[in-house]
Amino acid sequence: MRDVLERDHEELDGVLGELLLALDHGDPDESFAQLDLLWARLAVHIRAEHLCLFPAILGAPQAFLPGSGGTPRLEEVQSAIGVLRSDHDFFMHELAKAVNLMRAMEGISDAGVVKETLREVRSIVLSVRTRLSSHNQLEENQVYGWIDVLLDETGRSALDAHVRHELENLPLRFIGVAKNSHN
Ligand SMILES: [Fe+2]
Ligand SMILES: [Fe+2]
């Protein structure tokens, strides 16, 4: 099941790359389209982790959390999930700021204003990319691995179905735009 979330990380990286390319080309329409897609897809990914992954891991029976034999201690799990949650808040806050900057630019043809807005948006996107990279490493190298350690087979397959379902819940305007390869 971790491969579903890791594949989603890769696809998010791809959208981020397209967004930076559009910003570098100074293309406001394409930049806005890619930013909107990144914002929606990251929101869906984060919602899947909040609604499915975190409760499943935190709800694992205490017997699974003795802190020995490769299993994490409860405090370790809580602390890592606390870091991930605050990263998620940062991503959503910063991308909302970038979306608002782009919206405020709509209808403005002044080349200087457009250039300055794209520069500001680029700087926000770069800060998101940097923090997202270490965030995804923490998930892929540690937290996603706890699924196999903490959940039994029934728990893992329920989580797998729940995550797949949530990842398919993209807003309607993106259906057909975003390649969905979660199946
Ligand atoms: Fe995350
Ligand atoms: Fe993630």
Side-chain angles (χ1 to χ4, degrees):
M1 106 114 259
R2 60 183 296 171
D3 55 320
V4 177
L5 288 167
E6 289 180 6
R7 193 159 60 235
D8 209 46
H9 285 175
E10 276 175 33
E11 291 181 13
L12 284 164
D13 276 348
V15 179
L16 227 156
E18 291 294 322
L19 168 57
L20 285 169
L21 215 56
L23 289 165
D24 287 344
H25 289 158
D27 181 339
D29 292 342
E30 181 62 14
S31 298
F32 200 4
Q34 293 296 338
L35 175 64
D36 195 31
L37 178 61
L38 176 66
W39 191 32
R41 288 212 48 178
L42 193 54
V44 164
H45 184 91
I46 285 173
R47 191 175 57 198
E49 292 180 342
H50 277 245
L51 289 180
C52 319
L53 178 68
F54 296 166
I57 289 180
L58 288 169
Q62 292 302 299
F64 285 116
L65 301 166
S68 62
T71 56
R73 286 175 297 108
L74 180 59
E75 305 79 57
E76 194 184 344
V77 174
Q78 286 169 333
S79 153
I81 288 179
V83 169
L84 296 180
R85 282 186 199 279
S86 85
D87 287 343
H88 288 167
D89 289 345
F90 172 82
F91 302 143
M92 287 297 99
H93 181 264
E94 291 303 298
L95 290 181
K97 208 161 76 180
V99 166
N100 285 336
L101 282 168
M102 294 296 281
R103 279 190 185 139
M105 192 180 69
E106 278 182 319
I108 293 178
S109 53
D110 183 313
V113 174
V114 170
K115 196 174 170 190
E116 177 56 21
T117 303
L118 294 183
R119 195 195 59 75
E120 279 182 66
V121 168
R122 188 174 190 280
S123 135
I124 292 171
V125 172
L126 285 178
S127 75
V128 167
R129 184 174 70 170
T130 302
R131 191 153 165 183
L132 187 61
S133 165
S134 53
H135 177 90
N136 288 349
Q137 275 177 31
L138 171 60
E139 290 183 341
E140 292 178 15
N141 298 336
Q142 191 165 38
V143 177
Y144 291 173
W146 288 338
I147 296 166
D148 293 332
V149 180
L150 298 174
L151 301 183
D152 59 17
E153 203 178 329
T154 311
R156 284 199 299 272
S157 73
L159 177 59
D160 184 275
H162 198 183
V163 165
R164 284 174 193 271
H165 175 76
E166 285 302 326
L167 289 182
E168 282 162 10
N169 264 339
L170 256 190
L172 273 178
R173 69 182 188 279
F174 295 110
I175 305 303
V177 174
K179 183 169 64 72
N180 195 329
S181 57
H182 302 124
N183 296 316

